[in-house]
Amino acid sequence: QVQLVESGGGLVQPGGSLRLSCAVSGFTFSSYTMSWYRQAPGKERELVATITSAGGSTNYAASVKGRFTISRDNAKNTLYLQMNSLKPEDTAVYYCIRKGAQWYWGQGTQVTVSS
């Protein structure tokens, strides 16, 4: 079955960096556009970044553009999110998502940005 497992979250000080990973299985990873979403307490889920199946095109939310980088390794069936210059407002649970006729979500990984 389809599985998406995020990792790499944690507590980081403002200005710090984290790299999230999402290991996938159960489908042909290289055939799908993938995205990262996040959800902060009391807020709606927010699209953070998207990458096309071969990695040739990416898109970012205005709030993270220039600080976050989405990438993928199709040989390793893994999606990444490099997050730099983190701010307290980046605190959220981060999810990787496979979109399509049916959406699949991972369990999420907590990112907390605090001094």
Side-chain angles (χ1 to χ4, degrees), residues 77-113:
N77 287 348
T78 305
L79 179 71
Y80 302 101
L81 186 67
Q82 177 67 44
M83 305 186 296
N84 298 330
S85 303
L86 282 161
K87 304 175 181 180
E89 52 263 43
D90 295 318
T91 295
V93 178
Y94 285 72
Y95 301 89
C96 67
I97 290 89
R98 192 205 87 175
K99 296 181 179 180
Q102 181 176 352
W103 287 30
Y104 291 91
W105 300 71
Q107 83 289 348
T109 186
Q110 176 71 48
V111 172
T112 302
V113 185

Side-chain angles (χ1 to χ4, degrees), residues 1-110:
Q1 71 274 25
V2 173
Q3 287 192 318
L4 301 93
V5 180
E6 300 96 337
S7 61
L11 173 63
V12 63
Q13 291 188 340
S17 297
L18 282 174
R19 188 195 197 200
L20 305 184
S21 298
C22 175
V24 312
S25 60
F27 65 98
T28 305
F29 179 62
S30 59
S31 295
Y32 287 87
T33 291
M34 298 292 295
S35 297
W36 287 97
Y37 276 69
R38 67 185 180 186
Q39 187 166 23
K43 294 189 176 181
E44 297 283 325
R45 274 181 181 158
E46 175 188 19
L47 174 61
V48 175
T50 297
I51 186 167
T52 53
S53 57
S57 180
T58 57
N59 283 289
Y60 298 91
S63 58
V64 307
K65 200 166 188 177
R67 300 188 297 121
F68 290 12
T69 302
I70 188 171
S71 63
R72 64 193 297 161
D73 186 334
N74 285 345
K76 295 183 178 179
N77 287 348
T78 305
L79 179 71
Y80 302 101
L81 186 67
Q82 177 67 44
M83 305 186 296
N84 298 330
S85 303
L86 282 161
K87 304 175 181 180
E89 52 263 43
D90 295 318
T91 295
V93 178
Y94 285 72
Y95 301 89
C96 67
I97 290 89
R98 192 205 87 175
K99 296 181 179 180
Q102 181 176 352
W103 287 30
Y104 291 91
W105 300 71
Q107 83 289 348
T109 186
Q110 176 71 48

